[in-house]
Amino acid sequence: MIEYRALTSAEFEQFWALDRYAFARQYHRGRYTPEVIAQLRGLFVHGELVAQLQIMPFRMQAGNGALSVGAIGSVATWPQYRRRGYAERLLRAACTELREQGAVLALLYPFRHEFYHRLGWALAGERRLVQPTPGQLRAFQAVAGTYVAAGPAQIEELDTIYRGALRGRYGPLVRDQSWWREDVLHTWGGEPYYAFIWRDDQGRGRSYLIYRLERHETGDRIVCRDIVALDPTARAQLFVFLARHADQIVAAEIPTPVDAPLNALLPAPVPTTVVPLFMQRVLDVAQLLTEYPFTATTTGHLTIQIADEWLPDNAGRYRIEWQQGKATVTRLGPGEADLACTSATLSQLLSRYLRPRTAVAFGLLAAPQRQALLLLEAALDGLPPFCADYW
């Protein structure tokens, strides 16, 4: 007998053992409160735990609104039970549960992209990792203000800066107090990050930095977990702060959205890599399109054909009608459609990682009706995706 169900608190040690086996990095045990243990799910074969994961309900920012999503983590299978389809069965059951709870997307960081791509997950976006030396940051000028060490008591101030700086983007989690306390201000191992808020000469918090010091053979580095600013002056003060570590580090690692032109601010380009964000999977096409915060001025209608082999309930033809950005979605019978794509491509369009015209150019979106393509392009206008969180 195969059963998918929540783990009991008495079964937590089984979860902990498999999690420790599967992952080099592991959350500290103190993180697993009764509320977190209630999020653990397992696939049992004749009563034995063979595979497991954690489901975490979130609100995720999507442009000028938010979506109900389910983040999936700690997906693992004991080696003697691998290659039997148990992980896929576990994920399908988790997606069904999340959809019943009202989530429109399932998010995860994959152990192997190809595995999840086969199941309809798609990359939601990318970010840059810029690695300047302290010397390369000396061009930024200090202004009047102070750096204040931050911790749990400053969460409200940190969150105000975070929400203000990332307003309009797709992908940032709507962080609650618990997430800030356990997952932003602390490492996976439970150690506190260093955190500083920059306040101007009026005492207003306008930027912050959360980071750790990391040892490397070539020299120590500051690895930024969050680096967030409300305006150019406040951002410059974070770079001034990093430059003051010239006698301590050889470089800083700074995560930025792909459209943040940090190299344009520096006297010379610095090493930069592109890092994938999470993958996401559409759980309910109609509900996702209904809840999605499209561009507020969008008015018009189109039909779109969606293909989805893994969750066939999503497959079908949909009519989307907008009135001032609010979408009404109707599922139609078979027939011609203005646009056509897979649910995976749809999720990338909605994340704004993939622009509609680019999707057409690369064969990911069929657009026999050009006016429908232009309407979708306008409906999805906005900033590229970004997310600083892992799970």
Side-chain angles (χ1 to χ4, degrees):
M1 182 183 71
I2 300 178
E3 181 186 18
Y4 167 85
R5 63 170 174 81
L7 274 69
T8 66
S9 57
E11 293 167 329
F12 173 73
E13 292 301 328
Q14 297 181 55
F15 172 90
W16 184 254
L18 177 51
D19 196 63
R20 186 170 62 247
Y21 182 87
F23 301 106
R25 295 177 63 186
Q26 190 174 37
Y27 284 118
H28 62 100
R29 288 179 69 105
R31 182 179 183 273
Y32 290 95
T33 62
E35 292 76 18
V36 173
I37 291 175
Q39 299 173 347
L40 307 182
R41 300 291 183 268
L43 193 73
F44 293 80
V45 178
H46 301 301
E48 183 176 359
L49 178 67
V50 301
Q52 66 189 31
L53 52 73
Q54 180 182 355
I55 55 175
M56 294 159 275
F58 282 114
R59 296 283 289 171
M60 182 183 72
Q61 184 176 300
N64 293 315
L67 298 172
S68 297
V69 301
I72 297 176
S74 298
V75 181
T77 306
W78 282 112
Q80 65 270 34
Y81 296 113
R82 293 172 187 170
R83 306 295 186 269
R84 301 187 189 184
Y86 290 147
E88 181 175 347
R89 187 161 181 163
L90 177 73
L91 287 162
R92 191 186 299 276
C95 285
T96 298
E97 180 181 359
L98 287 169
R99 177 170 172 161
E100 291 171 350
Q101 293 175 355
V104 293
L105 290 166
L107 320 177
L108 53 76
Y109 283 96
F111 70 91
R112 191 172 74 248
H113 282 81
E114 296 87 346
F115 174 81
Y116 290 99
H117 178 76
R118 179 172 60 84
L119 306 182
W121 264 267
L123 188 63
E126 297 166 335
R127 65 178 182 175
R128 288 178 178 165
L129 190 62
V130 186
Q131 302 174 65
T133 66
Q136 290 167 323
L137 298 175
R138 286 181 183 147
F140 294 97
Q141 299 297 311
V143 300
T146 57
Y147 299 97
V148 180
Q154 286 73 42
I155 285 176
E156 184 175 347
E157 184 177 8
L158 290 166
D159 192 61
T160 297
I161 300 169
Y162 168 80
R163 288 185 290 104
L166 295 176
R167 182 177 293 113
R169 290 202 182 270
Y170 180 99
L173 297 184
V174 178
R175 297 171 173 175
D176 61 15
Q177 285 272 335
S178 175
W179 189 258
W180 269 106
R181 190 170 52 252
E182 299 296 334
D183 292 87
V184 181
L185 293 175
H186 288 83
T187 69
W188 283 22
E191 296 297 319
Y193 281 108
Y194 295 100
F196 287 88
I197 297 171
W198 181 76
R199 295 177 182 158
D200 62 21
D201 55 1
Q202 302 298 311
R204 298 170 297 191
R206 287 166 50 188
S207 61
Y208 74 82
L209 180 65
I210 299 174
Y211 64 94
R212 70 181 185 273
L213 289 163
E214 197 171 272
R215 287 288 172 91
H216 289 261
E217 290 184 1
T218 56
D220 293 357
R221 290 170 175 258
I222 281 181
V223 178
C224 297
R225 196 264 187 239
D226 269 16
I227 180 165
V228 181
L230 290 172
D231 56 77
T233 299
R235 182 180 301 110
Q237 303 320 297
L238 300 182
F239 298 146
V240 169
F241 181 89
L242 293 172
R244 291 176 179 175
H245 290 77
D247 296 330
Q248 187 176 358
I249 65 170
V250 297
E253 295 185 6
I254 301 172
T256 74
V258 292
D259 61 325
L262 182 52
N263 268 324
L265 305 178
L266 298 172
V270 301
T272 302
T273 56
V274 175
V275 181
L277 296 181
F278 55 83
M279 297 183 81
Q280 61 185 19
R281 215 248 178 258
V282 176
L283 300 178
D284 188 326
V285 169
Q287 193 62 32
L288 172 59
L289 293 171
T290 299
E291 291 186 11
Y292 188 88
F294 292 97
T295 305
T297 55
T298 307
T299 298
H301 64 84
L302 59 80
T303 57
I304 184 167
Q305 182 74 38
I306 300 297
D308 193 332
E309 294 182 1
W310 198 67
L311 293 181
D313 284 352
N314 281 326
R317 188 166 64 108
Y318 298 84
R319 176 184 171 89
I320 312 172
E321 185 165 358
W322 289 279
Q323 288 291 337
Q324 297 300 307
K326 177 62 179 175
T328 301
V329 181
T330 306
R331 188 161 188 161
L332 306 174
E336 297 295 320
D338 301 324
L339 305 171
C341 65
T342 65
S343 63
T345 295
L346 175 65
S347 77
Q348 293 179 312
L349 293 169
L350 295 178
S351 75
R352 302 199 293 250
Y353 173 53
L354 189 62
R355 300 302 305 171
R357 280 181 286 191
T358 303
V360 171
F362 281 82
L364 296 170
L365 175 67
Q369 295 295 330
R370 179 167 176 76
Q371 286 304 116
L373 176 63
L374 296 177
L375 177 60
L376 185 63
E377 188 83 30
L380 295 174
D381 187 36
L383 297 169
F386 179 75
C387 181
D389 289 302
Y390 289 91
W391 50 84

